[in-house]
Structure formats: structure tokens, C-alpha cells
Amino acid sequence: MNTLLRRKIDSYLLAWKSNPYRKPLIVKGARQIGKTRSIEWFARQNYKNVISINFVEQSKYRNIFDDGYEVNNILKNISLLNPDIIFIPGDTIFFFDEIQACPNCATALKFFKLDGRFDVICSGSLMGINYREIESNSVGYKEDYEMHSMDFEEFLWAKGYDDKVIEDLYQHMLEVKPLSQLQVDIMLALFRDYIITGGMPEVVNTYIVNKTFSGTLPLQQQLLKDYEEDITKYAVGLDKAKIKTIYNNISAFLAKENKRFLITKLAKNARNRDYVGCVDWLADAGVINICYCMNVPELPLKGNYNPSLYKIYFRDTGLLIASLDEESQEDLRANKNMGTYKGAIYENIVADMLVKQGYRLYYFNGNNPALEMDFFIRDAHSLIPIEVKANDGATASLNKLIISDKYPDVKYGIKLGYKNIGFNGRFYTFPYYLTFLLKRFVREHHTL
């Protein structure tokens, strides 16, 4: 049994359709995050006529651009392949799926826009997508939307919680008003379930239908295998074995104290220069998030980092969990005990939640003076350090960054942990599960 999961792209697509100047849309993202299902549901609900073409499953349609990109030529060739297809100007949407298998489709988007009779949405997996080639096509005549696996808000929707519940959580943040013990207990239990399931729609749906984790692990393990197979299939021009080695060692480095990913520790005589492009390939494929070490904790963020110093996180924390050894997984699922991976799991999910809000990831680790910080974001005027505490330990680095005159861009900080909502004059404390509301909070709150 499959339930239709509410996704954030749903409202985006409705807004796109309501724009009289809309351009052809490309929805990109990692495989199996729900792109196709969301687009098909939207199309069926909002158009009289839907023409859906999958360039992987229906490879014969890759030739519809052989006579050029004029829309009439494309329509003629589609009709030759399937004379039953009809075209209704003004009420037809073309859904071109798996466009990584047909880069010519992206070139045609300019002509669909200029023609104006039909709406177009394309979708493709970032894994192996010739996206740099596709990106250069139809510049100015298309719109891009990157979709992710389900965030915690979408997970709450799937569990039956409505926008009023989420708005109430946000108002508590905005007013710096502690949550009730009932809210804390319920949200923490839900968040721990979300950590284990992650946000892959099929996994979440299985968890919702079964009301347990039964059947979720095999799905996650299959996804890990599918990603590995895709590396073999799509990693053109790069050393596939090296990409696989990086992919298979992410959790091992996250288990270490500083969590920094070191190419030189992957194999005997491994050198950074031999792995150039491999980490970026995994990031471009939507498999990992990269968190770069800042040179100095100051603005601007972009350009102020060392590209050779970084941590690697899984894009989906459920897949991180599925990559752990069997004993750790069993303990986590049965007893909610995260063991030695606790710090890695919380950092990974915070990284994922930040990226899903549109943030790039940065951290800092300095020796003189000793100073480290898990993440940084910013508001209009200041740099905001974020500390992720797997236990309720000291916050020396956070205090140092805020108090010291050496870091004038830092006005306040945020500490994420098991604590309730609070503010001590220097930094805000929020429970982990409210991370999905941070961007809104940072944009709308007034610094004290």
C-alpha cells in the first residue's frame, strides 16, 4: 500500500503554474527521492492532457529531436512513434523524465518556451546526469529546482501533523518560549524515528504503513547498492574504484573524533591529487554533502574556506544508519542507542537539515588558539556559529567566538542538543528537531 506523501515541491509546482511567464522547469535531485511521483500527481491534477515520456524506459523517444528542435518537428516525431497521442495547446504538459539519458531534450526547452503552446517539466537523476552539458543548454529559457529527500517537516506531515503544529513550534522559537514536556517528548521520539528512517519516500511510506521499522532496512540497503551500481555505470572519465572507495568509507571517518575526511588514509600511498574530482562527483550526484573548513571565522562565507580540508556527510541520514555495522544498527533500532556513532549521526542530520534549507556547509578547526565549531550560517549582518552537542558538554568554543573581540562578525550563536528552547544572552539553545526552522528563525528574529 502506497500513500501519497505531501511534499514541499507540491506548492512550488502550483506557484510555477500560476506564473504567466513560467519557463520550462527542470527538477533535479538524487535518485528515488520522489521526483517522478510528485510531478505526475501535479500534472494529472492540473492539466487536461499529460504527455509523459521516460527516456530510459522508452528509449525510442530519444530520437524525437533528430529533425531539429522546432516544436512542430518534435510533435510530428512523437506522433510517428505513437499516433494516439494528442496535443491540446494551452492545456497540455509534457513531462520528460530521466533527461540524463537524452541531453538533447534540454536544448529543446528554449524552443518550447518561444513556442508558448505547451508547458514542460523535465526530471533527471543527478547520479550520472550530464548536467554540466545540460546546464549550458537553453540558458535563460528554463528554470531549475533541486529536490531533496524528505525533511523533518515533510516527515511530520506524513505522520499526520498539520501546519498548525509546525507553526506553534516556530512561534515558541521566535518568542524564545520553552516547549511543554509533552511537546518535547513527542517531538524527540518522532525525530529519533526520522533519524533511523531518513527521508527516502519509499522508506518513510513503509514505516508509516507498518507503524514500525519493519521492512525499512532492506530498502535502505538496496538504495546503497543502487548508488554503488550507478557509480560503476555513470562515473565517466574518473576512476570508478576511487569514487567507490570514498563512498564506502564515509561512515568510518564520521566515527572519528574530528570527522575530517582524509584521502591519504584511504589506501597505502593514496594522494589527494589522484582523487581530484572524485569527491565532487559524489556531491554533484546528490549522494553526499561536503562541509569545508573555513580559513577564518569571519564573513564572507563563500571563498573563505580551504577546499582541501573537509568533512563528508551522507545526504540522507537513514542511508548513513544503513551503512553502519549490523551490531550498531540493531542496537540503534531496538534500543535507540547510537553508541560510538552518536556524534556522527547528529552532525550528519543537522548538515542534511541545513542543506535542505539552502545552506552551504562550513566548519572551523583552528589550533592557535584551540577553537572548533561544527557549522556556520549567517543572517543579514552577522556570522552565526552552530554547535551540535551529542551530550550536554561544555560550550567553550561557542562562548569564545561570541565574546572575543577577534571575531567581530559573530554577534550570537546557536547550540543544538537535548536542551529546550532558551537564550542566555550569548547563544540560543534549540532541540535538534527544530533545525528545520532555523533559516526562517534567523531571517525573522530580532537579535537581542
Side-chain angles (χ1 to χ4, degrees), residues 225-243:
K225 290 175 186 174
D226 289 345
Y227 280 157
E228 192 165 344
E229 287 177 9
D230 281 347
I231 292 170
T232 302
K233 182 177 179 181
Y234 290 118
V236 178
L238 290 168
D239 192 319
K240 298 174 184 183
K242 289 174 182 173
I243 296 176

Side-chain angles (χ1 to χ4, degrees), residues 26 49 92 113 145 154-155 163 179 188 195 249 266 280 334 366 383 396 402 406 415:
I26 297 182
N49 190 37
T92 291
K113 169 59 180 169
Y145 178 89
E154 291 171 313
F155 181 83
D163 293 335
L179 299 168
L188 185 57
I195 287 174
N249 279 279
L266 285 176
D280 289 336
L383 181 67
I402 297 164
K406 292 182 179 178
K415 178 182 175 181

Side-chain angles (χ1 to χ4, degrees), residues 23-242:
K23 301 175 182 178
L25 176 66
I26 297 182
V27 178
K28 55 183 180 176
R31 63 177 293 159
Q32 298 189 42
I33 58 170
K35 300 184 299 296
T36 298
R37 185 163 187 181
S38 292
I39 295 167
E40 286 184 340
W41 170 257
F42 161 78
R44 302 289 174 196
Q45 296 300 307
N46 290 279
Y47 292 85
K48 188 173 182 179
N49 190 37
V50 179
I51 299 171
S52 184
I53 293 173
N54 184 308
F55 289 116
V56 170
E57 296 176 0
Q58 302 164 290
S59 57
K60 63 183 180 181
Y61 283 97
R62 297 178 195 173
N63 299 322
I64 60 176
F65 309 105
D66 285 358
D67 294 326
Y69 299 106
E70 291 293 339
V71 173
N72 284 335
N73 290 333
I74 296 169
L75 302 184
K76 180 191 72 174
N77 287 334
I78 291 173
S79 296
L80 285 171
L81 290 167
N82 185 349
D84 294 330
I85 291 178
I86 60 171
F87 310 99
I88 306 172
D91 209 357
T92 291
I93 186 167
F94 284 87
F95 174 31
F96 296 118
D97 201 2
E98 304 287 7
I99 63 164
Q100 74 274 9
C102 186
N104 283 339
C105 181
T107 304
L109 299 184
K110 173 181 178 180
F111 297 87
F112 273 102
K113 169 59 180 169
L114 294 173
D115 181 271
R117 287 177 290 166
F118 309 102
D119 285 350
V120 180
I121 296 181
C122 302
S123 176
S125 169
L126 288 174
M127 179 72 82
I129 198 170
N130 298 310
Y131 211 79
R132 286 192 170 83
E133 178 183 348
I134 289 173
E135 285 273 73
S136 64
N137 295 340
S138 296
V139 172
Y141 295 94
K142 64 178 175 61
E143 185 176 331
D144 292 286
Y145 178 89
E146 183 167 358
M147 191 174 173
H148 300 275
S149 65
M150 297 172 69
D151 68 8
F152 186 52
E153 185 172 11
E154 291 171 313
F155 181 83
L156 290 176
W157 293 341
K159 288 289 290 182
Y161 294 92
D162 61 19
D163 293 335
K164 290 180 182 178
V165 172
I166 291 157
E167 188 61 28
D168 183 59
L169 292 173
Y170 178 68
Q171 287 303 315
H172 275 75
M173 291 178 72
L174 201 59
E175 297 168 19
V176 197
K177 176 184 172 185
L179 299 168
S180 71
Q181 194 57 49
L182 181 64
Q183 285 175 304
V184 169
D185 293 343
I186 289 174
M187 285 298 148
L188 185 57
L190 288 164
F191 188 62
R192 283 175 170 161
D193 284 359
Y194 174 65
I195 287 174
I196 294 170
T197 63
M200 291 306 205
E202 188 178 5
V203 178
V204 173
N205 186 71
T206 300
Y207 157 84
I208 296 294
V209 170
N210 294 339
K211 297 182 172 58
T212 67
F213 298 122
S214 175
T216 59
L217 179 58
L219 291 173
Q220 292 168 322
Q221 290 176 329
Q222 186 59 49
L223 276 166
L224 289 171
K225 290 175 186 174
D226 289 345
Y227 280 157
E228 192 165 344
E229 287 177 9
D230 281 347
I231 292 170
T232 302
K233 182 177 179 181
Y234 290 118
V236 178
L238 290 168
D239 192 319
K240 298 174 184 183
K242 289 174 182 173

